[in-house]
Amino acid sequence: MNAEQPTPPAMDPNAPVRVETLPHAGDLRWPMTWYFLTGKLYSLLPWKKTAWTCAGFPIELLLGLDIFPLHPENMATVAAAQKQSRRLIEHAESMGYSRDLCSYCKTNIGAVDTGAPLKHGGIARPDIITCTNTICDTHWKWFQIQAEKLDVPLFVFDCPKIVSGTDDRTIEGYITYMVEQFFDFFDFVKKHTGKKPDIDRMIKAAEQSERLSALWREIYEYRKHVPSPYGMAETSASFFPLVVMPGVRSGIRFFEKILGDIKQRADQGKGTLTGRERYRLMFEGIPFWYRMRFMYDLARYGAVVVYEPYTFSFAPSKPVNLGYMETLRQVARTMMDVPYSYNLEKRIAYFKQAISDYRIDGVILHENLSCRPSSTGMIDLKNALQQECDIPVLIIQCDMNDPRAFSEAQINTRIEGFVELMERRKTHSPSVGLD
Ligand code: SF4
């Protein structure tokens, strides 16, 4: 930073802050209640079956088998929001797990070993456990350890990565490889639960999943408005149905309601910070679940996060009205095309497009100590965006579930510097990068 020309933050960071929430924001409780009650019921009734599964796994497959998905990662975020994750992580570390391991994994290991209740991030023992290396290899080892501990059958998908230079013929071969694994999975499920795939049910779940994703993409279109009618202070919670219950009607109803609110707010020219939106931000990475107040800290400066590659990545476009085999091939294709496996060139192009579309003033990159897939290449990404978009980019080193990594004073100081750079850019002074 140029110490000779300090530019103060645009707003008083100590001033009271008000972030406008949507009228139907509270309706999120209905899909959440449905999810937790149905999960409880499926865990209790002997003829109903449950599976632990992970991000990147196609929930439509489980719904088509009448198996209810339980999400250890989602329950880890519940533990963090309830200020329980540190205790559970430290318990896992006392069992010998390294400080460097993914904190979702350690939260789950701590929760299972201490018998944590549902409200503190606990999770029921499932009938089967299934996962994929679509996003990371941690899922494999984590679920294997827990399957052995709980004595539950495990099925692991090996998902190839589509990287730059992968030609169409190879991709079609990968898809065939994935579909063959789907059929192996159906055999596995039948053997351990007696459940068989219901084709109509699976196709319907795929169609409803696309309906949910399409609503989320439409919500994102409205976030382009200035001021933005919807910010990350709300999306971090409201994208819940996309993660754990795509293909379920209750989530669709919730998204339809909040989309109605967002349209109305946009038509009225209102935003989450009406009259106070000064900086539009992109936030890359998983939020700090134990410290969601961070979004309100940003709002004090008139900063609103209007685009998150993380929450957007849960709503890919999925062709529908396909037959059984084509539905399975499409599920496989979607599994492989995740932004976390993009190479740097593709990732930079993706960010540049979003910066332009959403009129972004600055980018925050969360270099997550837990998560290699979401942190790899961040320095190169930052340098490219600063140079090619002339935009301030801030890297924050932290962790999504381990509050020990959140250094309040240090982060506040860096945010202040970041806001100064955005202000300077707005007033046409040359921008300078942050270390
Ligand atoms: S390493 Fe990252 S992607 Fe993998 S489970 Fe942990 S947070 Fe999720």
Side-chain angles (χ1 to χ4, degrees):
M1 277 182 287
N2 184 347
E4 291 172 10
Q5 296 179 328
T7 309
M11 302 227 175
D12 176 4
N14 297 315
V17 64
R18 184 149 171 254
V19 177
E20 302 284 347
T21 53
L22 298 176
H24 286 100
D27 284 16
L28 177 60
R29 67 183 179 280
W30 299 122
M32 287 183 85
T33 303
W34 181 92
Y35 177 75
F36 287 115
L37 285 183
T38 309
K40 183 99 184 157
L41 204 63
Y42 268 65
S43 299
L44 292 175
L45 299 174
W47 63 92
K48 293 291 187 186
K49 304 296 174 187
T50 62
W52 277 15
T53 189
C54 67
F57 188 92
I59 303 299
E60 301 89 333
L61 284 192
L62 293 174
L63 297 178
L65 288 153
D66 189 25
I67 291 182
F68 193 82
L70 303 174
H71 284 260
E73 285 154 294
N74 185 61
M75 295 316 297
T77 70
V78 170
Q82 296 301 317
K83 312 293 182 215
Q84 300 296 319
S85 58
R86 175 174 183 157
R87 178 177 67 81
L88 300 175
I89 289 166
E90 287 180 344
H91 180 87
E93 287 172 356
S94 76
M95 294 165 70
Y97 292 97
S98 159
R99 174 121 192 197
D100 298 330
L101 272 180
C102 166
S103 56
Y104 280 167
C105 166
K106 283 186 292 183
T107 303
N108 173 254
I109 286 170
V112 169
D113 203 60
T114 60
L118 199 67
K119 66 179 178 183
H120 289 165
I123 185 167
R125 180 182 182 275
D127 296 291
I128 57 168
I129 294 181
T130 182
C131 68
T132 161
N133 59 347
T134 300
I135 299 177
C136 75
D137 50 0
T138 303
H139 283 135
W140 270 25
K141 210 63 200 165
W142 164 11
F143 280 47
Q144 182 192 358
I145 288 165
Q146 294 296 64
E148 282 172 12
K149 182 181 175 87
L150 296 168
D151 193 21
V152 169
L154 169 73
F155 189 97
V156 170
F157 281 91
D158 177 27
C159 182
K161 298 273 185 288
I162 299 176
V163 295
S164 86
T166 309
D167 59 39
D168 289 347
R169 189 160 166 265
T170 307
I171 292 172
E172 289 305 310
Y174 286 170
I175 290 172
T176 301
Y177 174 59
M178 288 303 299
V179 171
E180 282 169 0
Q181 292 180 69
F182 292 162
F183 285 110
D184 290 344
F185 179 62
F186 296 154
D187 291 342
F188 164 87
V189 168
K190 188 166 175 224
K191 177 177 171 196
H192 293 289
T193 70
K195 298 281 183 185
K196 288 187 264 182
D198 178 329
I199 295 168
D200 292 339
R201 196 179 174 134
M202 195 173 292
I203 290 175
K204 188 173 174 216
E207 287 172 358
Q208 296 208 150
S209 173
E210 167 52 17
R211 172 71 186 137
L212 190 74
S213 294
L215 286 164
W216 193 247
R217 295 195 299 272
E218 195 175 348
I219 287 169
Y220 258 77
E221 281 301 305
Y222 279 91
R223 297 182 76 187
K224 291 176 180 170
H225 283 238
V226 181
S228 180
Y230 207 42
M232 189 178 171
E234 289 191 80
T235 56
S236 301
S238 63
F239 86 126
F240 169 85
L242 279 170
V243 182
V244 300
M245 46 196 285
V248 175
R249 181 78 201 136
S250 169
I252 292 174
R253 275 197 296 271
F254 170 62
F255 276 15
E256 285 170 344
K257 282 185 183 171
I258 59 170
L259 178 58
D261 291 343
I262 290 167
K263 280 180 177 169
Q264 190 178 32
R265 192 179 261 181
D267 289 346
Q268 295 168 345
K270 292 184 178 169
T272 59
L273 299 179
T274 308
R276 291 173 291 131
E277 179 182 298
R278 180 140 183 92
Y279 313 108
R280 298 169 61 81
L281 306 183
M282 181 195 281
F283 184 100
E284 162 65 332
I286 307 175
F288 323 123
W289 298 115
Y290 48 84
R291 185 64 167 66
M292 290 312 292
R293 198 158 48 84
F294 178 71
M295 294 302 144
Y296 292 81
D297 296 344
L298 292 176
R300 290 181 191 284
Y301 296 99
V304 55
V305 176
V306 301
Y307 188 87
E308 313 97 38
Y310 174 64
T311 59
F312 192 72
S313 73
F314 284 86
S317 177
K318 305 163 192 168
V320 290
N321 299 322
L322 306 171
Y324 180 48
M325 276 310 290
E326 270 313 303
T327 297
L328 290 181
R329 291 188 76 79
Q330 186 53 43
V331 168
R333 192 185 299 275
T334 306
M335 268 179 93
M336 289 189 289
D337 186 20
V338 291
Y340 286 127
S341 61
Y342 287 175
N343 63 14
L344 188 62
E345 193 181 284
K346 198 169 169 187
R347 214 165 167 210
I348 291 169
Y350 171 88
F351 273 64
K352 283 170 69 177
Q353 189 64 49
I355 286 167
S356 164
D357 290 348
Y358 289 79
R359 302 192 225 180
I360 302 288
D361 298 303
V363 179
I364 297 177
L365 302 176
H366 175 195
E367 189 176 18
N368 191 338
L369 299 174
S370 267
C371 185
R372 280 171 289 127
S374 69
S375 304
T376 304
M378 273 192 171
I379 300 278
D380 292 326
L381 182 62
K382 167 185 163 21
N383 290 340
L385 296 179
Q386 281 181 173
Q387 283 162 18
E388 296 175 34
C389 302
D390 184 29
I391 194 171
V393 181
L394 172 67
I395 293 182
I396 295 180
Q397 263 204 344
C398 207
D399 191 286
M400 77 271 174
N401 238 42
D402 188 344
R404 295 172 299 178
F406 191 94
S407 170
E408 181 99 30
Q410 194 184 62
I411 288 177
N412 284 348
T413 305
R414 305 208 65 216
I415 290 292
E416 276 183 25
F418 178 59
V419 171
E420 284 181 16
L421 287 179
M422 287 193 293
E423 182 60 25
R424 206 175 300 178
R425 181 172 175 270
K426 273 190 178 291
T427 51
H428 303 296
S429 298
S431 65
V432 185
L434 288 169
D435 294 331

